[in-house]
Amino acid sequence: MPIGRTARSMTAESRSIWSRDFGFFFGARTVAKLGDTMLPVALAAGLLQYGHGAGAVGLAMAATTVCFAGLVIFGGVFADRFSTRLLMIGADVVRLGAQSIAAVLFFTGHIVLWQICVIGAVNGAAGALFQPGVASTVPRLATDVQKANGAIRVAESAAALAGPAVAGVLVAFASPGAVFAAHAGTYGLSALCLVLLRLPPALPGSLPHSNGFRADLVQGWREFRSRTWLWGVIAIFCVLMITTTGPLTPLVATLVVQEHGSGAYGLVNSALGAGTVLGGLVALRLRPRRMLRAGSLALIGYCAFPAAVGAQLGVPLMAAGAAVAGAGLSFWGVMWATSVQTQVPPDVLNRIHAYDVAGSIALLPVGQALAGPAASTFGAEQVLITGAVTTVVVCLALLSVPAIRGLVRVDGRAPVSGGGAAPGRPTRTTATRDPAIRDPAIREPATRQSVTREPAIREPAPPENR
């Protein structure tokens, strides 16, 4: 009896994610998400108040997105060459300074559009240095990577619900400058959490061996290209970005506000946020063996949002569709993030995560730009219905690729690429003990040592993160 209790307590301990250091990282991600969701409200209110139009707001936001998307791949190389924790702290400090300058500009009323765009570009560049390190930090802090990702997703979803409301209150009772000051403060709190964070030592052989910046960049691309499940998902998601996710926000805003008012639009967005929280909670409990297959099935629910709005089903059904879509998207996001963090060797994980992020958002602006012309030509309702149908087609395409649907979960870290683990030392993965890993039906031919560990070769997002 005592032995059984001891075994159960050891299992519970191995599944626990709540430690001092994970708590600091969890806090950093949550407070940063809160600030990021406040920013669009601050930009829109501030620029419109000082005589700029909607085009100026879009330009300021685009400055951040373009710099982030263009530099995040290089950020992945830096994250694999240097301390990810120090890079993230530095990125937060830079953004703290940039947003503090923005707050001063709005407080004093000296608003020049190009200066706001430069600040946005600096924020995007800093974000490109910060984001790649997130992927490798989670598995170093938590034994149960899926549960950790689920907890972070729930917290970020709750913060995304609260952020716009907090920003609206600050704008109403203070000024847009107060929102920028609060946003700067969130970066300061995030940096403080990361300063207090202590990462455990890396596993032997898991630290990347640098052969120079260009060689590291090329190696990251080769590792990315060698995994069919990885580039296959991102390639398929590009279609979703253009046809569904890109047009969704502007067209839903237009239709719902015009037909039902801004209050209804707020209700629908709140339902979407509540759905993402629900999806994260489900991902905390449900542990499918084939994670991407389960995630693809859940992602079918994403079609409910554009379908409900496109069919003009009424506010209650639109809100229900938004909740279903949020839950499906959130569950997929946890399954995807966990698969990447546990299947990809730690010595190339930051670079591959950077390719994932860049590929995920590369075509999003294209979908947003095409939304207006497509709605003018075919009608906004038809564009949204087409997006809903395309979502189902995308999910079926994900399920049709054997390397994606057959990917078997790994509870632990992937071995290093190129066989970097010390000879005779067991790697932290259960893949070699899983008979499915040796199933020829889901094995792909391996031509590199780094690919022989995948699921059988041994296993990105709407914006910002899938």
Side-chain angles (χ1 to χ4, degrees), residues 34-132:
L34 178 68
D36 289 343
T37 55
M38 294 166 62
L39 182 59
V41 176
L43 276 174
L47 290 176
L48 292 175
Q49 177 179 324
Y50 288 97
H52 296 282
V57 177
L59 185 61
M61 293 181 178
T64 300
T65 303
V66 169
C67 282
F68 177 82
L71 298 175
V72 69
I73 292 176
F74 303 101
V77 177
F78 282 116
D80 274 334
R81 289 167 63 92
F82 306 108
S83 166
T84 55
R85 174 174 160 273
L86 292 180
L87 281 176
M88 290 191 288
I89 293 171
D92 273 342
V93 170
V94 169
R95 291 184 288 188
L96 167 62
Q99 291 306 89
S100 297
I101 293 173
V104 171
L105 293 177
F106 277 97
F107 276 131
T108 58
H110 297 294
I111 306 301
V112 180
L113 182 59
W114 71 264
Q115 294 175 342
I116 302 301
C117 290
V118 169
I119 290 173
V122 171
N123 285 334
L129 285 177
F130 184 101
Q131 185 61 38

Side-chain angles (χ1 to χ4, degrees), residues 389-414:
V389 173
T390 304
T391 299
V392 177
V393 173
V394 162
C395 294
L396 294 177
L398 292 171
L399 293 168
S400 71
V401 180
I404 296 174
R405 71 169 185 268
L407 192 67
V408 178
R409 73 175 296 120
V410 174
D411 292 315
R413 286 288 287 274

Side-chain angles (χ1 to χ4, degrees), residues 139-353:
R140 289 182 67 179
L141 291 176
T143 303
D144 192 332
V145 179
Q146 179 185 333
K147 187 177 289 186
N149 283 317
I152 292 172
R153 178 58 64 105
V154 169
E156 289 182 341
S157 299
L161 275 173
V166 172
V169 170
L170 288 174
V171 168
F173 291 96
S175 69
V179 184
F180 281 96
H183 190 202
T186 62
Y187 286 130
L189 287 175
S190 175
L192 177 61
C193 288
L194 294 173
V195 167
L196 296 173
L197 170 67
R198 292 294 178 265
L199 286 174
L203 293 176
S206 65
L207 294 177
H209 175 71
S210 176
N211 296 309
F213 188 90
R214 182 177 178 181
D216 289 348
L217 190 65
V218 171
Q219 184 199 10
W221 170 249
R222 288 174 178 167
E223 294 284 348
F224 172 80
R225 190 180 59 184
S226 69
R227 291 164 171 81
T228 302
W229 62 269
L230 185 62
W231 64 257
V233 167
I234 294 175
I236 293 171
F237 252 79
C238 286
V239 177
L240 192 70
M241 293 295 106
I242 294 176
T243 60
T244 306
T245 305
L248 189 62
T249 299
L251 296 187
V252 166
T254 301
L255 287 176
V256 175
V257 171
Q258 286 180 349
E259 296 294 330
H260 305 282
S262 57
Y265 181 59
L267 176 63
V268 169
N269 272 332
S270 296
L272 179 66
T276 60
V277 172
L278 177 61
L281 290 172
V282 173
L284 281 170
R285 304 291 300 175
L286 192 62
R287 306 182 69 83
R289 185 166 177 268
R290 301 185 188 275
M291 302 179 71
L292 295 186
R293 181 170 66 183
S296 299
L297 291 171
L299 190 61
I300 294 175
Y302 187 49
C303 75
F305 191 18
V309 178
Q312 291 290 288
L313 296 181
V315 174
L317 289 178
M318 289 180 190
V324 171
L329 190 64
S330 181
F331 185 82
W332 160 266
V334 174
M335 296 298 105
W336 172 252
T338 304
S339 296
V340 173
Q341 291 164 5
T342 56
Q343 300 279 357
V344 173
D347 54 327
V348 293
L349 178 55
N350 292 318
R351 276 167 283 175
I352 285 185
H353 177 61

Side-chain angles (χ1 to χ4, degrees), residues 351-431:
R351 276 167 283 175
I352 285 185
H353 177 61
Y355 278 110
D356 167 25
V357 173
S360 300
I361 65 175
L363 295 182
L364 181 64
V366 177
Q368 293 171 331
L370 294 177
S376 299
T377 304
F378 305 105
E381 294 87 350
Q382 285 69 29
V383 174
L384 289 174
I385 293 294
T386 301
V389 173
T390 304
T391 299
V392 177
V393 173
V394 162
C395 294
L396 294 177
L398 292 171
L399 293 168
S400 71
V401 180
I404 296 174
R405 71 169 185 268
L407 192 67
V408 178
R409 73 175 296 120
V410 174
D411 292 315
R413 286 288 287 274
V416 296
S417 64
R425 178 183 294 275
T427 55
R428 276 182 59 198
T429 173
T430 59

